[in-house]
Amino acid sequence: MAGAAGPGTGPVAAGGDGDDSLYPIAVLIDELRNEDVQLRLNSIKKLSTIALALGVERTRTELLPFLTDTIYDEDEVLLALAEQLGNFTGLVGGPDFAHCLLPPLESLATVEETVVRDKAVESLRQISQEHTPIALEAHFVPLVKRLASGDWFTSRTSACGLFSVCYPRASNAVKAEIRQHFRSLCSDDTPMVRRAAASKLGEFAKVLELDSVKSEIVPLFTNLASDEQDSVRLLAVEACVSIAQLLSQEDLEALVMPTLRQAAEDKSWRVRYMVADKFSELQKAVGPKITLNDLIPAFQNLLKDCEAEVRAAAAHKVKELCENLPPEGRETIIMNQILPFIKELVSDTNQHVKSALASVIMGLSTILGKENTIEHLLPLFLAQLKDECPEVRLNIISNLDCVNEVIGIRQLSQSLLPAIVELAEDAKWRVRLAIIEYMPLLAGQLGVQFFDEKLNSLCMAWLVDHVYAIREAATNNLMKLVKKFGTEWAQNTIVPKVLVMASDPNYLHRMTTLFCINALSEACGQEITTKQMLPIVLKMAGDQVANVRFNVAKSLQKIGPILDTDALQEEVKPILQKLGQDEDVDVKYFAQEALSAVAQRLRKLDFPAKDSEEPSAPGADKNHFLRPRGPGEDTGKFVPLMSRHTQSERLGWFPRRQ
């Protein structure tokens, strides 16, 4: 590591004199010089341990100077060092010696890598709070001045993040110097420095006196908002939020709004995007009067901006804008000044714009009320539910509960339900999946009778979908519906339909029956599971497809805790013992797993099992990895390896054998 302590100097030299207490620092230095980056990184992460071994005095006099002299390494090592030093105050003797940590962090704040500088600044900000006011002016403020007047732009960008933490506790004379340095950085020749200053402008404004904000910060804001670099101008927009919160309405109108109006119409779409993205915060900062006079017209322009990114950002803020409007006259403002532009965005050419609008438009129904929703918003919802972009449809579906609260179940069923049914059969499986996820929510809103009439058949159809993810989600959906509608509904409506699938010609559908039983057994309880579901599972133990048989074993293990001892002893155990002698090694394996679980369950219930009742099938090694065998392969022979592809087949994700 370049710059390391030379022979006979530094902490390592003492190690040669036989002082064993210096061994840890010697190890550290050796690891820091190692060619392996990981070793150097590990040594940095153990700095606190090394410091504890050395004690506070030697940490100050030996470890920190060594680290300061050797700051030249890989970025990840420097990043770890910058992070460690931020928590080092207690290891150097407490706040009275916090200034000892400044030299290495000052060096780290000047390196080329941005993330290292940012972490160093973060640690410096943390340490600044541990300085006394006297120590702050004696040690920390000079550091900030050195960074602010450094030759390299890297040090000047780092300085921008330190002004706000030292200003409040400085004396008036020092405060004036700090403000002067900040002004210089705001007009720096290097765009990166001006960017850094603009990003910290709002933060710095919050700690200044009001007079200084008006006389110094506002002019800086105006200059930065007119900078030749759009990356600087957009950061000035972000600072505008903080500055606006500090000024009165009169000062806002006179000092800030001309610049903000200019930013909303900036030639760079990135600046306009930032205005749209920060619109809700700006709206709260400037108050209702300026919002009505200035921000609403600006928002209209953003909604019809020529750049799709700007329109999308503005569309995201539609609901928040409407919610933050004053209650008096809010409905009129929305209907006359916002809604016409929203209607245009529904048929926008860019799918991201439509998707952004779809994620918030449903929320307007609670603001506008039932009549306006039915007359003006409902046609927009229906149009978006039929949009060719799946994301638009999904965003509408995910907020259907907002509409139901306002217009009621009857209107929902007449207008939206046909579109929901159409989406439930959509060709894109992710759309179908989204509908399934919202089905329990819809069911709770629609009620059991309406659900059975209109949506029950859809839920059952999903169980035989050709996509495994849909079948899995449909199974979980049934469990949620049973919890919502009760076991009696499940016994009469769901369970019979599920059990019919046990004799389906397609083995995947038969396996789905088992998955459903696994999910429903807990929700339905012991009686329904024992009387209706268990006989079907036991019957399927004789299925010709091995995949089904080993899933029977897994199902019996799953529902075992729900069954009583009689069912376990007299019905479940014999079947599992039979499966334990199956010709398929995987069936044997899962049968043995289930037998062990059942035996443990019986022991807990004081129903002891004989050792002879738990046969150990040959080849059923519990630690083996499953692999389907080829034709003619010895069924008793253990084959350890299993490819990811064939494992998916065995789990039923796609057909292997019929």
Side-chain angles (χ1 to χ4, degrees), residues 95-96 98-99 102 124-146 162-171 174-175 178:
D96 291 340
H99 62 274
L102 299 182
L124 283 169
R125 289 168 65 95
Q126 187 175 334
I127 291 171
S128 71
Q129 304 303 319
E130 296 166 348
H131 281 67
T132 62
I134 296 175
L136 191 79
E137 289 197 9
H139 302 287
F140 195 85
V141 172
L143 174 147
V144 176
K145 292 179 181 177
R146 288 195 298 273
L162 300 174
F163 289 106
S164 61
V165 294
C166 63
Y167 186 87
R169 294 191 291 155
S171 62
V174 173
K175 284 182 176 179
I178 293 174

Side-chain angles (χ1 to χ4, degrees), residues 393-639:
R393 303 197 296 267
L394 296 183
N395 286 343
I396 288 291
I397 294 164
S398 62
N399 293 285
L400 282 177
D401 54 322
C402 301
V403 182
N404 187 35
E405 291 175 6
V406 177
I407 67 176
I409 187 63
R410 180 173 300 177
Q411 191 68 43
L412 178 68
S413 63
Q414 292 176 355
S415 303
L416 292 180
L417 199 60
I420 294 173
V421 173
E422 183 180 341
L423 288 171
E425 300 169 347
D426 195 275
K428 293 182 174 60
W429 70 269
R430 293 186 188 277
V431 177
R432 303 198 300 277
L433 185 63
I435 286 286
I436 295 174
E437 291 173 353
Y438 289 103
M439 193 56 68
L441 177 66
L442 286 171
Q445 296 166 353
L446 298 172
V448 62
Q449 182 178 353
F450 188 90
F451 179 84
D452 284 343
E453 291 176 3
K454 304 291 184 181
L455 298 176
N456 195 313
S457 58
L458 285 176
C459 292
M460 301 310 298
W462 285 323
L463 291 174
V464 294
D465 196 279
H466 66 278
V467 177
Y468 174 76
I470 300 296
R471 300 197 301 273
E472 182 183 40
T475 302
N476 295 329
N477 174 56
L478 288 184
M479 179 178 63
K480 295 175 184 176
L481 291 174
V482 171
K483 290 180 178 178
K484 192 173 288 290
F485 290 150
T487 55
E488 184 178 350
W489 173 81
Q491 186 175 10
N492 298 329
T493 308
I494 294 296
V495 174
K497 295 180 180 178
V498 168
L499 299 183
V500 167
M501 294 168 53
S503 56
D504 193 285
N506 190 327
Y507 89 98
L508 291 174
H509 298 169
R510 301 200 296 276
M511 287 173 59
T512 301
T513 301
L514 294 172
F515 299 153
C516 289
I517 290 173
N518 294 346
L520 293 174
S521 58
E522 185 177 348
C524 290
Q526 185 182 92
E527 184 178 355
I528 297 176
T529 302
T530 304
K531 291 183 178 179
Q532 292 185 258
M533 300 185 192
L534 180 59
I536 298 298
V537 178
L538 298 176
K539 181 181 177 182
M540 295 175 71
D543 197 281
Q544 62 180 355
V545 177
N547 297 52
V548 177
R549 296 199 300 277
F550 76 63
N551 273 289
V552 167
K554 292 169 71 175
S555 292
L556 290 174
Q557 181 178 352
K558 173 73 175 177
I559 67 176
I562 301 168
L563 303 173
D564 58 27
T565 54
D566 292 340
L568 286 174
Q569 183 70 23
E570 298 172 9
E571 300 182 66
V572 174
K573 183 176 285 189
I575 292 296
L576 288 176
Q577 290 172 338
K578 180 181 177 182
L579 291 175
Q581 303 297 325
D582 196 275
E583 62 180 11
D584 189 287
V585 66
D586 299 333
V587 178
K588 292 182 193 177
Y589 171 78
F590 287 110
Q592 285 297 113
E593 289 284 300
L595 264 176
S596 299
V598 168
Q600 186 177 2
R601 165 80 172 158
L602 289 173
R603 281 195 294 269
K604 287 183 179 179
L605 296 174
D606 295 327
F607 201 116
K610 298 178 182 177
D611 293 339
S612 60
E613 292 177 337
E614 298 178 33
S616 178
D621 182 359
K622 293 183 180 181
N623 296 318
H624 81 290
F625 294 92
L626 307 176
R627 180 182 72 83
R629 295 179 304 280
E633 225 177 300
D634 182 4
T635 57
K637 185 178 180 181
F638 165 59
V639 184

Side-chain angles (χ1 to χ4, degrees), residues 106-126:
E106 181 178 357
S107 298
L108 290 169
T110 63
V111 301
E112 187 175 352
E113 178 55 46
T114 304
V115 292
V116 177
R117 294 201 310 271
D118 290 345
K119 183 58 70 174
V121 169
E122 182 182 327
S123 294
L124 283 169
R125 289 168 65 95
Q126 187 175 334

Side-chain angles (χ1 to χ4, degrees), residues 1 23-47 50 66 73 77:
M1 188 165 177
Y23 180 71
I25 191 65
V27 172
L28 167 69
I29 293 171
D30 286 343
E31 288 188 351
L32 284 175
R33 290 170 169 165
N34 197 291
E35 293 182 0
D36 188 346
V37 175
Q38 191 60 47
L39 274 179
R40 299 203 301 275
L41 184 60
N42 291 341
S43 69
I44 291 294
K45 290 181 177 178
K46 291 185 289 187
L47 272 183
I50 300 299
F66 170 74
D73 207 325
V77 177

Side-chain angles (χ1 to χ4, degrees), residues 27-337:
V27 172
L28 167 69
I29 293 171
D30 286 343
E31 288 188 351
L32 284 175
R33 290 170 169 165
N34 197 291
E35 293 182 0
D36 188 346
V37 175
Q38 191 60 47
L39 274 179
R40 299 203 301 275
L41 184 60
N42 291 341
S43 69
I44 291 294
K45 290 181 177 178
K46 291 185 289 187
L47 272 183
S48 57
T49 304
I50 300 299
L52 285 171
L54 288 174
V56 294
E57 185 176 347
R58 295 170 93 172
T59 297
R60 293 196 302 266
T61 58
E62 299 180 38
L63 178 59
L64 290 180
F66 170 74
L67 292 173
T68 304
D69 293 340
T70 58
I71 290 178
Y72 176 75
D73 207 325
E74 299 290 335
D75 294 332
E76 57 183 327
V77 177
L78 298 182
L79 180 64
L81 177 59
E83 184 176 7
Q84 289 283 320
L85 291 176
N87 302 310
F88 240 60
T89 303
L91 299 172
V92 296
D96 291 340
F97 298 95
H99 62 274
C100 296
L101 297 170
L102 299 182
L105 285 171
E106 181 178 357
S107 298
L108 290 169
T110 63
V111 301
E112 187 175 352
E113 178 55 46
T114 304
V115 292
V116 177
R117 294 201 310 271
D118 290 345
K119 183 58 70 174
V121 169
E122 182 182 327
S123 294
L124 283 169
R125 289 168 65 95
Q126 187 175 334
I127 291 171
S128 71
Q129 304 303 319
E130 296 166 348
H131 281 67
T132 62
I134 296 175
L136 191 79
E137 289 197 9
H139 302 287
F140 195 85
V141 172
L143 174 147
V144 176
K145 292 179 181 177
R146 288 195 298 273
L147 290 175
S149 55
D151 293 333
W152 293 95
F153 79 90
T154 53
S155 68
R156 302 200 297 275
T157 56
S158 295
C160 295
L162 300 174
F163 289 106
S164 61
V165 294
C166 63
Y167 186 87
R169 294 191 291 155
S171 62
N172 289 335
V174 173
K175 284 182 176 179
E177 292 182 44
I178 293 174
R179 293 198 302 271
Q180 176 57 45
H181 278 290
F182 191 82
R183 285 198 301 273
S184 299
L185 294 179
C186 287
S187 56
D188 196 275
D189 294 336
T190 308
M192 286 80 82
V193 178
R194 299 200 301 275
R195 269 205 301 273
S199 68
K200 300 298 180 182
L201 182 64
E203 179 185 289
F204 190 47
K206 289 180 180 179
V207 301
L208 261 63
E209 301 79 6
L210 183 59
D211 290 342
S212 297
V213 172
K214 292 181 184 178
S215 61
E216 299 187 42
I217 295 297
V218 171
L220 292 177
F221 162 69
T222 303
N223 291 336
L224 291 171
S226 306
D227 195 273
E228 61 182 11
Q229 297 282 332
D230 62 352
S231 59
V232 177
R233 299 200 300 273
L234 67 87
L235 290 171
V237 172
E238 193 170 352
C240 181
V241 176
S242 300
I243 296 171
Q245 293 171 343
L246 304 172
L247 301 176
S248 65
Q249 288 287 304
E250 293 77 12
D251 291 332
L252 266 177
E253 185 61 52
L255 302 175
V256 175
M257 288 313 298
T259 304
L260 185 56
R261 294 187 198 103
Q262 176 185 336
E265 300 174 354
D266 196 276
K267 61 183 179 181
S268 170
W269 71 267
R270 281 194 264 234
V271 179
R272 302 196 302 275
Y273 174 90
M274 182 61 75
V275 174
D277 188 55
K278 298 292 179 182
F279 208 87
S280 299
E281 298 170 46
L282 289 168
Q283 182 184 2
K284 293 176 183 177
V286 302
K289 183 179 178 182
I290 295 179
T291 295
L292 296 177
N293 295 336
D294 291 284
L295 293 193
I296 293 294
F299 192 71
Q300 292 172 340
N301 291 332
L302 294 172
L303 286 174
K304 59 179 182 180
D305 196 274
C306 59
E307 291 291 338
E309 288 86 350
V310 179
R311 297 198 302 277
H316 263 301
K317 300 296 177 180
V318 164
K319 181 185 175 184
E320 292 180 34
L321 169 77
C322 296
E323 287 176 337
N324 294 333
L325 290 172
E328 302 82 11
R330 174 165 58 186
E331 183 179 323
T332 304
I333 295 170
I334 296 173
M335 296 300 297
N336 296 336
Q337 301 187 51

